[in-house]
Every structure is written in structure tokens, then in C-alpha cells.
Amino acid sequence: MLAILVPARNEEENIGFVIDLLTEVTSSPEDIFVIDNNSTDNTSVIALEKKVRLIHVKEQGYEKAISKALKNVKDLEYTKFLIVDGDNEIDKKSIKEAFNSVYSYNFLCGKRDNVKRMGEKIVNSYYKKNYRIDDLMCGLKAGDIDLHNQEANLSFGLDMFKFEDMSGMKIKNIRVTVNQRESTRLGNFVKVNTLLILGLLKYHFARKL
């Protein structure tokens, strides 16, 4: 079974549209889970009105929200996941491609045409070289739930999945045309670049131990 996960924090302007789009893609809205990451607006209200399922995560953090949701849906005996960010940045065509391909691959990840942050470019270069994943921080991911690393603790999801286990597995990178928005969930440009590089160093040296 496939669980569609939609991480969202204060996305009342976008979440309804994203849910409607996902409902077009799948005939099973009960398999759509909005992950409300401690929102202070009407994100959860809109999700319930759309009759999808809701997972509340009070501990703030994108990676924490997704990690808890993956654990929850695995307990519900889902075997596949599809993550689509709730900010409406991922285009419909890419979502459909991921949905239609998820049972043919072990791991799929979106690949944006333009990555602006230097820190993201460095991270992407590392994961492409080591794991064949072109754009790890894209908000579109799918694959086998068993690849989720339940011990993950690094920011930005750098250790969210068991990348070392993916050798020889079927991986697909899906080209994504981003729907541009004014704000970003990542925050300050310089701070994020610094944290990304520090996080990557932690990940790299941890896997060498």
C-alpha cells in the first residue's frame, strides 16, 4: 500500500490546493496524510474538511515531522510512501510521474531545474556521487518505507533514509518544475548554507566510523 505524506506548517493558503491535486492523482483520499507540524493557522482544519487523514507533530522541524509520519504509516502496514511538500512548489506532472513509478523503483526523488543555495549544491553533489540521488532536498520523494532510518537525527533529512542500503537498488530522479513562491521553509540564506555543510560533514564522518 502507498501512503501519501504532505508535511505542512502554516500552509493554509496552499494546503487545500495540494490536497485537491493529490486527490486527482489517487482514487484513495484515505491514503493521504497531512502532517501538521505545529501549525498556528487553519492548516489542520482545511485538511479535515478535505476528508484526508491528519498526523499532528508538535516538535517543530521538517525532518522530525516526516520521520514520525513514516513510522506511523509503517505501523499501519503501508509499504510505500510518497512525500509531497504542502507548499505547492511541486508541479502536478512530477507528482503523477512519482505516483505511477513508485512500485517500479525502490527510491525516487525530484530534481529541480535550479538550486540556488551553495550548501544545497554541495549536498546534492555528495549524494549524487555516493548514492545516485541528484537533489536530496527536493520536496518530492517516494519509495520503500523500509528504507526509512528510524534513528535519523540530522537536520534537513540528511540521514532520513538508509542510503548505504541503496547500492544495487532501483533509483529514479524525476525532473521537477518548481512552482515559485516568495517565502522558503529553510530560512536565512547564509545560516542554512552553514548548517547544511556542517550537517553533511557530520553525516560523512559518521558513516566512516
Side-chain angles (χ1 to χ4, degrees):
M1 292 195 301
L2 171 65
I4 301 178
L5 307 177
V6 187
R9 173 173 165 77
N10 294 335
E11 292 289 355
E12 64 179 8
E13 293 183 5
N14 299 296
I15 196 65
F17 180 84
V18 174
I19 292 171
D20 288 343
L21 189 158
L22 292 172
T23 303
E24 289 181 33
V25 172
T26 176
S27 58
S28 305
E30 67 271 16
D31 293 328
I32 299 174
F33 296 79
V34 170
I35 313 166
D36 182 8
N37 191 199
N38 201 27
S39 295
T40 56
D41 64 2
N42 290 317
T43 296
S44 61
V45 174
I46 296 169
L48 291 174
E49 288 175 349
K50 296 289 184 179
K51 302 188 184 305
V52 298
R53 300 165 86 172
L54 197 62
I55 298 175
H56 289 286
V57 181
K58 290 187 176 181
E59 189 177 6
Q60 191 171 325
Y62 181 80
E63 65 284 344
K64 294 181 178 65
I66 292 177
S67 191
K68 180 175 180 180
L70 284 168
K71 291 177 184 178
N72 286 5
V73 296
K74 184 175 183 178
D75 289 342
L76 295 174
E77 300 185 346
Y78 284 90
T79 58
K80 292 280 188 174
F81 70 89
L82 170 60
I83 298 170
V84 179
D85 281 1
D87 57 7
N88 189 33
E89 280 197 338
I90 308 300
D91 66 290
K92 183 177 180 179
K93 181 180 178 182
S94 304
I95 294 172
K96 281 188 172 182
E97 183 175 350
F99 179 84
N100 292 330
S101 302
V102 69
Y103 285 100
S104 299
Y105 293 86
N106 300 105
F107 190 80
L108 306 93
C109 192
K111 179 182 179 180
R112 294 165 292 175
D113 289 335
N114 184 26
V115 177
K116 296 180 179 179
R117 287 183 174 85
M118 181 56 65
E120 288 185 73
K121 291 180 180 179
I122 293 171
V123 167
N124 287 345
S125 178
Y126 180 91
Y127 283 84
K128 182 175 182 177
K129 177 181 178 181
N130 289 282
Y131 308 118
R132 298 170 289 145
I133 298 168
D134 290 351
D135 187 3
L136 179 66
M137 296 188 63
C138 181
L140 176 69
K141 297 182 183 70
D144 301 338
I145 282 184
D146 283 342
L147 286 174
H148 173 226
N149 175 21
Q150 297 199 21
E151 305 303 319
N153 57 28
L154 293 178
S155 298
F156 308 108
L158 297 180
D159 61 345
M160 179 78 66
F161 301 99
K162 301 173 185 176
F163 299 108
E164 296 290 340
D165 292 350
M166 293 184 189
S167 177
M169 289 187 175
K170 296 185 70 176
I171 294 175
K172 182 175 185 178
N173 295 289
I174 298 172
R175 184 175 179 180
V176 169
T177 302
V178 173
N179 300 319
Q180 297 293 341
R181 60 178 295 181
E182 294 181 3
S183 61
T184 172
R185 65 175 170 84
L186 294 180
N188 180 272
F189 206 87
V190 175
K191 180 180 179 181
V192 171
N193 278 331
T194 302
L195 291 175
L196 278 168
I197 294 169
L198 289 175
L200 180 60
L201 289 172
K202 288 181 181 179
Y203 176 78
H204 175 74
F205 288 111
R207 65 187 278 264
K208 294 294 183 182
L209 295 178

